[in-house]
Amino acid sequence: MPAPMPEKKFDVINLDPFPAHSGGAAERRQRDADALRTIAEDAITDARTDSEIAREFISHGELGEKSIANTQKELFRFLTWCREEAGKTLRQLTVADLNGYKEFLKAPPQDWISTTKWPRSDPRYRPFSGPLSDASRRQAMIAVKGLFAYATQTGYLRRDPAALVKHVKTASASRITRYLTPDALELALTVVATREALTPASIRRRERDRFLLTTYIHTGARLSEIVGANMGAFYTEGNGRWWLDVLGKGNKPRRLPVPPEMLAAFRQYRAAFDLLPHTARSDDTPLVLSSRGESLVRITDEAASDALKAIFAAAAVAADRLGDADMAATFRQASAHWLRHSMLTNHANNGVQLKTLQETAGHASIATTAAYLHKTDNERHDEILASASLGKEFP
């Protein structure tokens, strides 16, 4: 008989959340007594393998779609490392092993890396696109520590070595620096509004992208909050004020003020898709539509991000033509999330109360919002330079 095919190094590990109702632990213990011999008799888990306890962990919380996807990614990396690098199961891992995984994330081996994002089912898939930053390593270890805590609390594990592993330290910036000035935002809007569009599809794309850019500039919403919304979330209560409802982190609802510029961009965008200027609250048509074809299909977060990056790239070229090398360099670094920083920074510097911005941004702590306030720093900078110039008048 031919020898069995060896397991592929990055074979898919099923980390899909369990359905709400699954078989009981007692039933599995009776069916798979050998597999469960190391699990406590009074365990409150259905899991019999490391991947199953990971699936339960992902299922047990009220995580949003994006949080589930991120946790799946981190635990796939970790469980693959356990199998391929450590050669151990969860219950065999030590504190030293877990600290070793923290170091592994700094510089994964080359055969774990691919700069192209292949689907997990593709043999060319690799878990990493390169070494992780300290912030990314911290998030990775938070997922791992969460899994161990859950496995211990449910009785799947008898001990929690991850509790003795320190979090990855990250440098915390006292001020947000990744933002675009009002002049830069104005240039970006001009670039997308004047983009050549000669076909219905290119017109739809131009108006969609203009609406997308305008919306992020004026709301400071997270990328997924706008992409995940529906047309019916755009509404007025009849008093001249327009709102956009979004779901933030933890599925917390927020409503965001809509200024006239954003409303105008919304109407022009809908017209490009042959839609009426207004819609009903019950309209579940996706808010951000694909410009390809006639069907009304929601684009992905990645597609929205790519659309904004294309605008920034064109704006960088425009800034270079204007002789503003600093602005061009900023555009080349910018990402979609910079628009959130930009909205909060520019409003904070214009004197909008931090409490108002905190509620608009959906920040849990006002200290997070305060990081966007640059006005006092700018005033301090100007005072010091003014004093220095006065000092030159004295011998």
Side-chain angles (χ1 to χ4, degrees):
M1 292 182 63
M5 291 291 290
E7 186 176 29
K8 294 178 183 176
K9 188 168 187 175
F10 303 114
D11 263 359
V12 174
I13 298 174
N14 183 6
L15 293 178
D16 290 339
F18 279 117
H21 304 288
S22 57
E27 178 186 339
R28 283 191 174 171
R29 196 169 283 113
Q30 184 177 9
R31 187 177 70 241
D32 302 301
D34 289 340
L36 291 166
R37 65 183 182 276
T38 56
I39 300 177
E41 283 298 320
D42 59 350
I44 53 172
T45 174
D46 291 348
R48 66 183 186 275
T49 64
D50 290 349
S51 61
E52 285 186 354
I53 195 65
R55 292 177 68 187
E56 265 194 24
F57 168 61
I58 293 168
S59 307
H60 90 286
E62 295 184 355
L63 299 178
E65 185 178 340
K66 194 164 187 178
S67 295
I68 287 176
N70 286 334
T71 305
Q72 287 173 321
K73 176 185 69 177
E74 296 302 348
L75 295 185
F76 172 80
R77 287 170 168 173
F78 175 63
L79 292 177
T80 302
W81 175 86
C82 290
R83 184 184 69 206
E84 300 296 335
E85 299 293 329
K88 294 182 178 181
T89 63
L90 292 185
R91 60 179 53 89
Q92 293 171 326
L93 292 172
T94 65
V95 175
D97 290 326
L98 293 172
N99 279 321
Y101 182 64
K102 277 173 62 177
E103 292 302 308
F104 174 86
L105 295 173
K106 280 185 180 178
Q110 197 57 43
D111 63 340
W112 283 66
I113 294 173
S114 171
T115 54
T116 302
K117 292 182 180 180
W118 303 106
R120 253 174 228 179
S121 57
D122 192 296
R124 293 168 292 182
Y125 168 79
R126 295 295 180 268
F128 297 92
S129 58
L132 298 189
S133 66
D134 287 344
S136 295
R137 287 173 62 230
R138 180 182 176 85
Q139 291 304 311
M141 292 307 298
I142 285 173
V144 171
K145 287 166 73 70
L147 171 62
F148 270 92
Y150 178 80
T152 305
Q153 290 160 6
T154 58
Y156 180 82
L157 297 179
R158 292 191 174 95
R159 58 191 175 84
D160 180 7
L164 301 176
V165 176
K166 294 181 178 179
H167 283 298
V168 177
K169 292 182 179 179
T170 57
S172 56
S174 60
R175 289 288 183 270
I176 298 296
T177 57
R178 297 176 301 164
Y179 67 96
L180 297 166
T181 65
D183 286 345
L185 294 173
E186 189 64 34
L187 179 59
L189 284 168
T190 300
V191 164
V192 69
T194 56
R195 180 194 293 165
E196 186 177 46
L198 302 177
T199 65
S202 63
I203 293 172
R204 288 194 295 267
R205 178 171 173 263
R206 180 186 65 194
E207 297 308 320
R208 189 273 315 278
D209 291 355
R210 189 166 78 94
F211 166 70
L212 202 58
L213 178 62
T214 305
T215 297
Y216 285 118
I217 287 174
H218 286 291
T219 65
R222 299 178 181 90
L223 187 71
S224 59
E225 292 173 345
I226 300 300
V227 174
N230 293 330
M231 290 285 186
F234 218 103
Y235 66 97
T236 181
E237 295 175 337
N239 56 8
R241 294 181 177 88
W242 281 80
W243 301 91
L244 175 63
D245 284 349
V246 297
L247 277 179
K249 287 185 176 179
N251 287 328
K252 293 180 180 177
R254 294 199 319 283
R255 66 176 191 165
L256 307 174
V258 173
E261 298 92 333
M262 183 173 155
L263 178 60
F266 176 65
R267 289 171 173 167
Q268 196 163 331
Y269 157 56
R270 282 180 60 86
F273 281 79
D274 295 325
L275 299 172
L276 295 174
H278 304 296
T279 185
R281 292 297 307 277
S282 58
D283 187 351
D284 60 0
T285 304
L287 180 61
V288 188
L289 298 166
S290 170
S291 59
R292 299 175 182 175
E294 300 298 328
S295 56
L296 303 179
V297 178
R298 189 188 309 276
I299 66 171
T300 63
D301 288 4
E302 187 174 9
S305 176
D306 288 345
L308 292 168
K309 286 180 182 177
I311 295 172
F312 296 151
V317 173
D320 271 331
R321 287 174 181 162
L322 293 172
D324 195 332
D326 290 341
M327 184 184 289
T330 301
F331 273 125
R332 291 191 178 98
Q333 299 176 58
S335 67
H337 203 65
W338 282 42
L339 295 172
R340 177 172 169 82
H341 296 326
S342 303
M343 179 271 189
L344 295 172
T345 296
N346 293 330
H347 281 308
N349 290 343
N350 287 340
V352 175
Q353 293 184 8
L354 291 183
K355 185 65 178 175
T356 300
L357 289 179
Q358 179 192 4
E359 293 173 356
T360 301
H363 287 152
S365 168
I366 200 167
T368 304
T369 316
Y372 292 90
L373 183 59
H374 290 69
K375 187 173 184 178
T376 53
D377 276 357
N378 292 342
E379 290 171 346
R380 178 168 57 86
H381 182 280
D382 293 346
E383 284 184 22
I384 293 295
L385 265 61
S387 175
S389 63
L390 287 173
K392 292 177 183 178
E393 298 177 5
F394 298 96

